[in-house]
Amino acid sequence: MKGSLKLALRMLARDWRAGELRILGAALVVAVASITSVGFFADRVGQALVRDAHQLLGADLVLASDRPWKADVSEEITGRGLLRAEGVSFISMALAGEGEAARSQLAGVKAVSDSYPLRGRLRVAAAQGQPDAPAQGAPRPGGVWLEERMVSALGTPVGSRLRLGEATLRVDAILTLEPERNASFFNVAPRLLMNISDLPATGLVQEGSRIRYYLYAAGEPPALKALEAWAKPRLERGQRIEDLETGRPEVRATLDRAQRFLSLTALLAAVLAGVAIALATRRFVERHLDGCAVLRCLGATQARLFAMHAGEFVTLGLGACLIGCAIGYGAQQVIALALEDLMRTALPAPGLLPALQGLLVGLVLLLGFALPPLIRLRNVPAVRVIRREAGDAEGAARAAYVFGMLLLAALLVWQAGDLRLGLYVVGGFGAAIACFALVSWLALRAVASAPAARLFGHLPGLRGSAFRYGLANLKRHARGNAVQVASLALGLTAVLLLGFTRNDLVEAWRRSAPPDAPNRFLIGVQPDQVASVNDFFRERGLGPPALDPMVRGRVVSVNGRPTGESDYQEERAKRLIEREFNLSYMDAMPAHNELSAGAWYAPGAREVSVEEGIARTLGWKLGDELGFTVGGERFSARISSLRRLRWDSMRVNFFVVAPAALLRNFPASFISAFRVEPGAEAALNALPQRFPNVTLVDIAAAVRQAQAVVDQLVAAVQFVFLFALGAGLLVLYSALIATEDERRREAAVMRVYGASRAQIQGAQRVEFLAMGAIAGTLAAFGAALIGQLVASRVFELDLPPNPWVLVAGPLAGLALLTLNAWLSARKVLRSAPLAALREA
Amino acid sequence: MAGRVQLRTLGLGKRVPSGADELVILSDIDLEVQRGEVLAIVGASGSGKSTLLALLAGLDTPTSGRVEIEGQDLFALDEDARALLRGRSVGFVFQSFQLLPALNALENVMLPLELAGRADAEQAAREVLVRVGLGERLWHYPRHLSGGEQQRVALARAFVVRPKILFADEPTGSLDAASGRDVIELLFELNREYGATLVLVTHDEGLAARCSRTIRLTAGRIQP
Ligand SMILES: Nc1ncnc2c1ncn2[C@@H]1O[C@H](COP(=O)(O)OP(=O)(O)OP(=O)(O)O)[C@@H](O)[C@H]1O
Ligand SMILES: [Mg+2]
């Protein structure tokens, strides 16, 4: 064995020097580089995303309670080396002006300590209508920051004073963005932000008032984890820990999507690299079959041959993987630097896992895709030295490819950290390769068939004999060409996917938080006000605001069995089942919802439709009978459908909806999400006066922020696509040179027998054009189909079909192979036939 | 003097299935080759010369009969054991040279020694290459050598392991007359120096006449 390794190293050096391994090595380096850079970068972006998302919470961890926190909890936070901030929130009336001019407005008061927020920044403007900017910390003692509509309602511009309880406070700024806020716009009055040190002076914090107390913590993940573990068992009733998952479903959705985009790209790069490696190894093996037969004549056993080549490849693989990792790290560093400005903050340092994953993926790719052909080398019969056609048994190799695919699939699923995504990609590629190979074989035969030949014979530039010879070649090489065309189609598919579908996907993603998304919420409209609110909008030339009824209720039994907190382990499930939530009634499903199971109920049925996420969390299934209490009354209804919601759509969404007949008689209030175009806001100014009990919430800033997050992610993701594109191009290149040897040998023989350059060139052109057209067409349809699947299944986005892909595919295929025909003709024809023969 | 018999075949035959029936390529080959003998195998194209050579060297398996090298039944061994035997005591020269294109002349000659784990591979290979007159071309790749030079490298590779028996299948078949003559002279000289038994397939009657014995194959049988 030791001798074999030494010999393996020597053979590696020799093959390398002779240029036999360069393509394979390059394929590996590019593969590992792209995988690791994507991995490193995704890791850093992922970390940054989590961190940025925490900015939306205002901290890494939020402890919320309906009673003041005991000192030990707040000391625990600082004791663990974490940053701490405090907050208190409640609803109270704010007053301004005297006598006739006196005005009042219900305010969502939040009093915070100086260190708030620990993550992210609030944004404020110096006066109404002025551009906003990030704020320095929180309001100073004695000052308040008001939301704009509060300023309008109270008539208190910056610099004026207002009264809150027994305290008089100065308006210091207009609050334009409070990240933490959007989570619960349903039941908040406009925000009044003040310093916590002014709180005692107001005299509002008394026993019995509905007040929530918050403790914010931020710092290193281990310390946070430890704090969470410490606090959990100590939580009392009415106290809970908030994190991203529970606080912000719509942010979570965006993050998940970004993560999937990145994973998908990395997977794409990996699979493409696998194909490139398979092609390169196949070529290597083809060029080494004779040599191995000679080695066997010279006394090498099968085990020896295998050990030698395996040693050669593993060493190559390790080297290439290390280089790939280094390049990947460097590239990632450059991207991160370039994007730092865009990301607005420095990215966290990458972890080591991507390097390990890159190494593993590289080795698995090499072994999975190089091992099978190497088995061919091992099995080559010695008699091949005398009879060349002997021993081209690819059968065993094919079986081994299955092993390679499985190994890669397992690894990719692991790398994606997402079973469904991994299976989609691996399964999709497997199916695509099989399908491409079959269709190209059939298509090649069809093109070479007699009727087709007559048809094409009329085209200019396809001269008689060369043309016939080209067609004959197509038929003769049908199998090899089919493999080549399928590989080309695969590479082209990747390029098309990345060139077209990516843009479409990104656009669809942008649209998912669309610029015409609702930017105002209208909350608390009473049933008898619905008509007059609609009139109010109509009078001012605004569209009616589509008011949805909202009934507060609770689920108390499932299939007749009482249900409650104790049935669930998960925090979120406990909270969901415990609290009252909003039900709605409607007879038609809202356009922005999507049925994921079952059928929409009939207007008179005792049935409900449930959001699929909450059903999963609470373990409800289609057909379960849910018992509700609403306003003291009980009723039950069967789950007849599950819906998928777009949490990032900024629309009103309900976990449970029922037919109108079922809920109409319960007390309800109405809610709406609608859009006011910029400049038309003034029309709404009179709304608070006309309907004092109705709350109008401006979510424009929140929408803007969601959009900014998406834009930022899109930019990061776009770049990552370049690597996958590189891998795709590599596949194309390997596919193009796959048959180069054979063609060169043939061309040399033809020239020896007197074929002119023009004839050879013509024949090759015919062959290449047919292959290019087939590969391009296959790729076009492949990319279109895969794009649709990925969009709908993985990203839950609507992707309008892009007709340009269908044009670009065949054109790209033709262009590529025309270029290749030209280059390869130059190579083959420039040298004298003897030299060409000798090299072949 | 059974000890002097280096190579013996008994009722050696090779058939291959061909469509519904069988194609007989070789049948009833009984042959003895003495140590140091130079045997020529001649015959028309397609008469089975290459097939016989492959069987004698254990590169292919017969459908009947046996081959013994120094009393060892070749086909009682498995393919790997035959490979080891080849590595120890058999050398080859082919019509199409069969040099490894990725290796230069020196490395091609070193290869069998490396496979045998010899530490002095490079020194030994150099000496033989100098002996065949290629001392100046050690680092040239096969594609930069003429046919005659390539075949001389192949000769060096065959003799460098000091084989007990050397098989050559039309070693001049791909060469012009002049370089063919040179290669044959060299082959005979080396064979004398290294004292190997030589089994040579050729079309060339003149060359056959220079060998100590000639057998003639016709349609897969030895012509009496
Ligand atoms: N595996 C096989 N399957 C079918 N036919 C075979 C096989 N091996 C050899 N043959 C046939 O057996 C015959 C003898 O072949 P062989 O190569 O031994 O001839 P040869 O005497 O060396 O001819 P040449 O002088 O042209 O090299 C040929 O007709 C050949 O086609
Ligand atoms: Mg022959």
Side-chain angles (χ1 to χ4, degrees):
Chain A
M1 269 292 112
K2 200 174 135 258
S4 288
L5 184 63
K6 219 165 106 188
L7 195 52
L9 291 181
R10 273 196 206 148
M11 292 308 271
L12 174 62
R14 290 166 184 172
D15 278 332
W16 180 260
R17 201 190 42 204
E20 292 293 308
L21 291 168
R22 280 181 204 161
I23 293 156
L24 186 67
L28 264 178
V29 168
V30 171
V32 176
S34 64
I35 288 165
T36 46
S37 61
V38 168
F40 276 132
F41 190 63
D43 184 57
R44 295 180 76 174
V45 170
Q47 285 186 48
L49 287 179
V50 171
R51 190 192 57 192
D52 287 356
H54 283 172
Q55 297 183 357
L56 300 177
L57 268 182
D60 293 333
L61 194 77
V62 181
L63 297 161
S65 165
D66 50 14
R67 193 152 15 126
W69 287 98
K70 296 209 185 73
D72 64 327
V73 181
S74 97
E75 275 157 20
E76 193 67 29
I77 296 174
T78 32
R80 287 175 187 275
L82 295 166
L83 297 173
R84 185 188 66 196
E86 286 150 51
V88 174
S89 79
F90 54 90
I91 304 276
S92 182
M93 198 64 85
L95 304 159
E98 299 290 334
E100 280 294 286
R103 293 202 206 166
S104 65
Q105 164 73 37
L106 205 59
V109 179
K110 185 158 166 184
V112 293
S113 57
D114 293 323
S115 49
Y116 177 89
L118 297 178
R119 293 282 183 247
R121 300 259 203 100
L122 304 167
R123 288 176 79 85
V124 293
Q128 256 177 308
Q130 292 212 349
D132 63 350
Q136 296 297 328
R140 268 172 250 268
V144 294
W145 296 349
L146 298 183
E147 226 176 291
E148 188 155 9
R149 63 200 166 93
M150 180 109 190
V151 173
S152 328
L154 286 176
T156 49
V158 171
S160 62
R161 284 166 192 278
L162 58 74
R163 291 191 302 285
L164 188 71
E166 288 157 23
T168 299
L169 299 165
R170 182 187 62 250
V171 179
D172 281 349
I174 313 285
L175 182 64
T176 55
L177 177 68
E178 182 192 355
E180 195 194 350
R181 181 73 180 292
N182 329 327
S184 46
F185 11 62
F186 295 116
N187 33 23
V188 286
R191 174 65 82 214
L192 181 159
L193 196 70
M194 60 185 285
N195 196 288
I196 204 165
S197 59
D198 294 329
L199 207 51
T202 64
L204 292 171
V205 179
Q206 290 167 0
E207 199 64 38
S209 1
R210 260 187 68 85
I211 301 177
R212 288 196 72 74
Y213 298 84
Y214 298 95
L215 278 177
Y216 301 91
E220 294 302 319
L224 285 166
K225 279 243 152 40
L227 174 69
E228 201 174 339
W230 176 88
K232 256 210 177 111
R234 289 171 177 77
L235 291 178
E236 297 163 18
R237 221 187 139 70
Q239 299 189 329
R240 61 193 168 100
I241 298 176
E242 282 182 0
D243 58 21
L244 200 61
E245 196 80 51
T246 55
R248 305 291 310 270
E250 79 285 2
V251 172
R252 192 75 234 174
T254 308
L255 282 187
D256 279 352
R257 197 171 282 164
Q259 207 59 59
R260 281 201 295 271
F261 253 111
L262 290 171
S263 299
L264 184 75
T265 314
L267 290 183
L268 198 65
V271 177
L272 288 173
V275 174
I277 287 166
L279 289 171
T281 315
R282 201 180 125 101
R283 179 176 144 96
F284 177 89
V285 166
E286 225 109 78
R287 292 167 76 110
H288 282 68
L289 276 174
D290 288 338
C292 279
V294 171
L295 281 169
R296 296 200 62 182
C297 284
L298 297 179
T301 61
Q302 289 196 331
R304 190 80 194 273
L305 268 183
F306 187 72
M308 242 173 73
H309 284 103
E312 184 174 347
F313 272 56
V314 168
T315 312
L316 173 76
L318 280 175
C321 283
L322 286 177
I323 296 174
C325 271
I327 294 179
Y329 184 83
Q332 159 278 135
Q333 200 77 9
V334 174
I335 313 164
L337 272 180
L339 282 191
E340 207 142 87
D341 192 40
L342 177 99
M343 306 287 274
R344 276 174 294 185
T345 44
L347 285 168
L352 270 181
L353 188 66
L356 184 70
Q357 279 181 333
L359 277 176
L360 271 175
V361 168
L363 285 182
V364 165
L365 281 177
L366 184 68
L367 296 184
F369 288 88
L371 207 57
L374 284 185
I375 291 173
R376 263 177 84 196
L377 280 186
R378 167 184 180 272
N379 291 339
V380 66
V383 70
R384 189 183 160 94
V385 293
I386 286 180
R387 257 198 351 268
R388 193 154 187 285
E389 72 276 17
D392 229 356
E394 275 189 84
R398 220 167 288 140
Y401 270 127
V402 174
F403 167 75
M405 283 301 285
L406 287 179
L407 206 62
L408 181 69
L411 196 72
L412 292 185
V413 167
W414 175 58
Q415 213 223 357
D418 182 338
L419 188 69
R420 194 163 63 124
L421 185 67
L423 290 182
Y424 265 117
V425 172
V426 176
F429 263 86
I433 292 175
C435 183
F436 282 177
L438 182 71
V439 176
S440 5
W441 185 72
L442 290 174
L444 284 170
R445 292 189 62 96
V447 169
S449 69
R454 268 198 302 282
L455 185 69
F456 295 131
H458 300 296
L459 298 177
L462 303 174
R463 285 232 320 261
S465 69
F467 178 68
R468 272 195 308 281
Y469 186 72
L471 285 187
N473 265 353
L474 269 184
K475 203 167 191 169
R476 220 150 28 83
H477 298 159
R479 241 188 61 182
N481 279 353
V483 171
Q484 194 176 13
V485 170
S487 320
L488 282 170
L490 197 69
L492 270 178
T493 302
V495 172
L496 287 178
L497 264 179
L498 298 168
F500 281 87
T501 317
R502 173 205 52 174
N503 278 332
D504 296 345
L505 259 181
V506 163
E507 275 313 305
W509 187 7
R510 281 215 174 97
R511 269 198 310 275
S512 73
D516 61 346
N519 54 11
R520 297 284 193 287
F521 272 92
L522 198 60
I523 299 159
V525 178
Q526 297 306 303
D528 58 357
Q529 291 177 312
V530 170
S532 41
V533 166
N534 277 330
D535 287 343
F536 178 92
F537 275 78
R538 216 179 350 262
E539 281 158 22
R540 284 160 181 78
L542 304 168
L547 289 156
D548 289 315
M550 202 160 86
V551 176
R552 293 192 68 80
R554 197 193 301 265
V555 172
V556 290
S557 70
V558 178
N559 293 328
R561 258 192 64 246
T563 182
E565 224 190 317
S566 54
D567 293 344
Y568 297 97
Q569 295 294 316
E570 209 188 319
E571 273 311 301
R572 178 171 143 79
K574 279 180 190 294
R575 229 174 8 256
L576 280 169
I577 198 75
E578 187 190 12
R579 94 186 168 178
E580 276 197 323
F581 58 89
N582 294 317
L583 299 135
S584 185
Y585 55 85
M586 54 192 73
D587 287 340
M589 185 171 70
H592 58 279
N593 285 191
E594 192 190 322
L595 220 53
S596 61
W600 189 250
Y601 48 66
R606 294 189 66 80
E607 291 172 359
V608 291
S609 176
V610 177
E611 190 264 332
E612 62 176 9
I614 193 178
R616 203 179 314 122
T617 309
L618 294 175
W620 299 343
K621 283 174 295 302
L622 216 55
D624 281 353
E625 188 82 13
L626 298 182
F628 295 88
T629 59
V630 175
E633 271 188 60
R634 285 175 173 250
F635 68 91
S636 72
R638 199 173 62 83
I639 302 179
S640 63
S641 64
L642 298 179
R643 279 167 305 135
R644 190 175 301 134
L645 303 182
R646 295 273 163 78
W647 287 109
D648 50 7
S649 67
M650 296 294 162
R651 289 174 194 278
V652 180
N653 283 313
F654 296 96
F655 284 136
V656 175
V657 299
L662 201 59
L663 288 175
R664 192 160 28 215
N665 298 325
F666 291 102
S669 70
F670 286 75
I671 178 173
S672 173
F674 64 97
R675 179 168 179 81
V676 200
E677 294 307 326
E681 294 97 338
L684 292 173
N685 283 347
L687 194 95
Q689 264 93 6
R690 273 281 299 282
F691 308 100
N693 61 311
V694 170
T695 310
L696 182 67
V697 183
D698 181 357
I699 55 167
V703 172
R704 263 204 310 281
Q705 184 175 3
Q707 203 105 49
V709 170
V710 169
D711 281 347
Q712 185 176 324
L713 289 175
V714 162
V717 166
Q718 297 265 49
F719 188 91
V720 170
F721 270 118
L722 283 182
F723 287 96
L725 190 65
L729 292 177
L730 207 68
V731 169
L732 282 182
Y733 180 68
S734 328
L736 285 180
I737 62 166
T739 54
E740 197 190 61
D741 286 344
E742 200 185 331
R743 288 183 203 287
R744 202 186 298 189
R745 201 177 306 131
E746 268 187 21
V749 171
M750 278 176 70
R751 284 180 68 194
V752 169
Y753 290 108
S756 72
R757 289 175 184 222
Q759 277 172 319
I760 297 174
Q761 226 163 354
Q764 285 205 346
R765 204 179 301 140
V766 170
E767 215 177 332
F768 279 142
L769 281 183
M771 289 169 61
I774 297 171
T777 310
L778 277 174
F781 283 101
L785 194 72
I786 293 173
Q788 290 294 329
L789 274 178
V790 165
S792 66
R793 291 297 151 87
V794 181
F795 296 111
E796 294 164 10
L797 292 170
D798 298 318
L799 189 69
N802 185 338
W804 285 108
V805 175
L806 299 183
V807 180
L811 283 183
L814 282 175
L816 187 70
L817 286 225
T818 305
L819 178 71
N820 187 56
W822 182 70
L823 288 177
S824 109
R826 264 174 46 125
K827 250 197 231 167
V828 172
L829 300 177
R830 224 181 10 198
S831 46
L834 177 66
L837 260 184
R838 200 182 272 173
E839 289 206 18
Chain B
M1 276 208 77
R4 285 198 51 87
V5 176
Q6 182 139 38
L7 183 69
R8 189 206 309 271
T9 69
L10 279 171
L12 193 65
K14 174 86 178 172
R15 275 173 257 241
V16 291
S18 144
D21 32 69
E22 284 195 319
L23 179 69
V24 179
I25 302 174
L26 287 175
S27 55
D28 297 328
I29 305 289
D30 293 316
L31 190 66
E32 268 186 15
V33 184
Q34 307 296 314
R35 186 162 298 163
E37 200 176 355
V38 178
L39 175 73
I41 302 176
V42 295
S45 180
S47 57
K49 304 181 296 292
S50 295
T51 307
L52 176 59
L53 199 71
L55 289 177
L56 293 180
L59 297 180
D60 204 356
T61 48
T63 40
S64 60
R66 53 195 283 170
V67 175
E68 286 170 12
I69 291 186
E70 305 201 308
Q72 166 71 58
D73 181 355
L74 262 190
F75 300 103
L77 302 172
D78 66 7
E79 165 56 34
D80 278 348
R82 283 200 295 276
L84 289 173
L85 181 88
R86 281 196 295 271
R88 269 200 316 275
S89 41
V90 178
F92 288 95
V93 181
F94 307 101
Q95 176 178 358
S96 52
F97 322 140
Q98 298 286 11
L99 298 176
L100 271 58
L103 273 53
N104 61 32
L106 181 62
E107 289 161 351
N108 262 294
V109 179
M110 283 164 67
L111 198 58
L113 298 173
E114 288 175 337
L115 279 171
R118 288 257 300 266
D120 62 339
E122 183 169 344
Q123 188 50 39
R126 258 174 205 276
E127 280 167 14
V128 187
L129 275 168
V130 170
R131 170 66 191 84
V132 300
L134 290 174
E136 309 289 301
R137 320 292 302 261
L138 297 181
W139 290 283
H140 287 234
Y141 283 94
R143 62 177 177 278
H144 296 136
L145 294 173
S146 74
E149 287 165 338
Q150 287 190 51
Q151 196 61 305
R152 278 193 274 162
V153 175
L155 284 179
R157 181 177 69 184
F159 281 103
V160 76
V161 290
R162 303 188 165 270
K164 298 200 180 90
I165 180 160
L166 185 83
F167 295 102
D169 188 1
E170 296 184 41
T172 60
S174 305
L175 300 175
D176 59 79
S179 40
R181 256 194 317 277
D182 291 349
V183 163
I184 286 299
E185 290 313 322
L186 190 59
L187 174 62
F188 281 128
E189 279 171 31
L190 286 168
N191 195 51
R192 270 196 301 279
E193 286 165 28
Y194 286 82
T197 306
L198 177 61
V199 178
L200 180 70
V201 167
T202 183
H203 273 120
D204 183 348
E205 297 288 345
L207 174 56
R210 292 180 56 186
C211 298
S212 45
R213 184 153 67 102
T214 301
I215 60 165
R216 193 168 301 275
L217 278 187
T218 314
R221 287 175 181 274
I222 296 182
Q223 213 176 30

